[in-house]
């Protein structure tokens, strides 16, 4: 195994799949249909398995590990060393060093987490798309810029509500309404609609989904030697662990809170 025939070859593999998933992901997030969402539910378990088949391939990891342990002999530059380090770490974080029984458990957890995260996203999208704030009194548009009003009229027309104005939970609609609308009661209505997506005790409710994701993520982190999922994620960042994050946030808080109070008073 060499840097070129192992690390570079692996880095350049899967380009077509990556391109397809970027295109598909863009469509499913902004222009989805029932058919696309059904495809997502079919594809995500396959993608999870595909990813695990790479990370948990013992022959492939042996090659990567060989290059990593003998890197001095390859005279790598800074960028090549970085790629090698990230590749090796991705295998270790993907469970390559785990015994077979724990690798099988990791596969199971990854598939479940993948599907639950997909469900969470689909539920949130459905809640976003289902909400409409319909206004039929022109006075309730007070404070809104003209282009926002025109767009709301177009949205109403598209929904068969000619002569009215429709605001949705999509950011180009909800954010200007929250920022500019004078009607406080309507701002409260659309704000609560926005923050309660997935929290309406209906078929799109995400509370149980979140609970399951948290439990499975903790189990995955423990399996990989971390005490919590936050520390598993943060191990790859500048912060390194949750304690450092909390120290930073609490320090910021000591400066931000007095400023927020003075601005609130103003």
């Amino acid at each position: 195994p060499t840097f070129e025939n192992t690390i570079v070859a692996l880095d350049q593999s899967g380009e077509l799949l990556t391109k397809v998933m970027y295109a598909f992901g863009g469509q499913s997030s902004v222009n989805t249909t029932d058919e696309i969402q059904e495809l997502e539910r079919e594809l995500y378990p396959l993608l999870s398995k595909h990813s695990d088949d790479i990370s948990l391939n013992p022959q492939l990891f042996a090659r990567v590990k060989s290059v990593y342990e003998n890197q001095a002999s390859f005279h790598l530059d800074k960028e090549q060393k970085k790629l090698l380090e990230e590749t090796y770490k991705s295998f270790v974080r993907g469970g390559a060093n785990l015994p077979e029984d724990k690798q099988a458990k990791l596969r199971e957890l990854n598939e479940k987490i993948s599907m639950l995260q997909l469900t969470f996203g689909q539920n949130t999208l459905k809640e976003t798309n289902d909400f409409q704030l319909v206004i039929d009194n022109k006075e309730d548009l007070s404070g809104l810029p003209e282009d926002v009003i025109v767009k709301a009229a177009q949205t109403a027309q598209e929904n068969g509500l000619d002569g009215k104005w429709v605001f949705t939970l999509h950011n180009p609609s909800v954010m200007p309404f929250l920022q500019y609308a004078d009607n406080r009661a309507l701002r409260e209505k659309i704000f609560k609609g926005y923050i309660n997506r997935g929290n309406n005790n209906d078929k799109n409710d995400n509370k149980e989904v979140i609970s399951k994701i948290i439990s499975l993520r903790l189990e995955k982190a423990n399996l990989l030697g971390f005490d919590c999922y936050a520390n598993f994620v943060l191990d790859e960042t500048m912060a390194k662990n949750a304690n450092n994050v909390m120290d930073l946030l609490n320090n910021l808080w000591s400066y931000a809170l007095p400023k927020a109070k003075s601005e609130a008073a103003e």
Side-chain angles (χ1 to χ4, degrees), residues 56 92 94-103 106 223-224:
L56 301 175
V92 174
N97 279 330
L98 293 175
E100 278 191 30
D101 60 330
K102 290 189 175 181
Q103 286 189 357
L106 182 62
L223 195 66
L224 292 167

Side-chain angles (χ1 to χ4, degrees), residues 119-152:
T119 300
F120 179 92
Q122 289 189 346
N123 286 347
T124 305
L125 189 60
K126 287 173 185 173
E127 294 269 276
T128 301
N129 290 337
D130 287 348
F131 181 95
Q132 287 187 342
L133 176 65
V134 181
I135 293 177
D136 53 14
N137 183 354
K138 194 168 185 178
E139 292 179 4
D140 289 332
L141 301 173
S142 173
L144 291 169
E146 186 60 32
D147 61 323
V148 174
I149 295 173
V150 169
K151 178 59 181 171

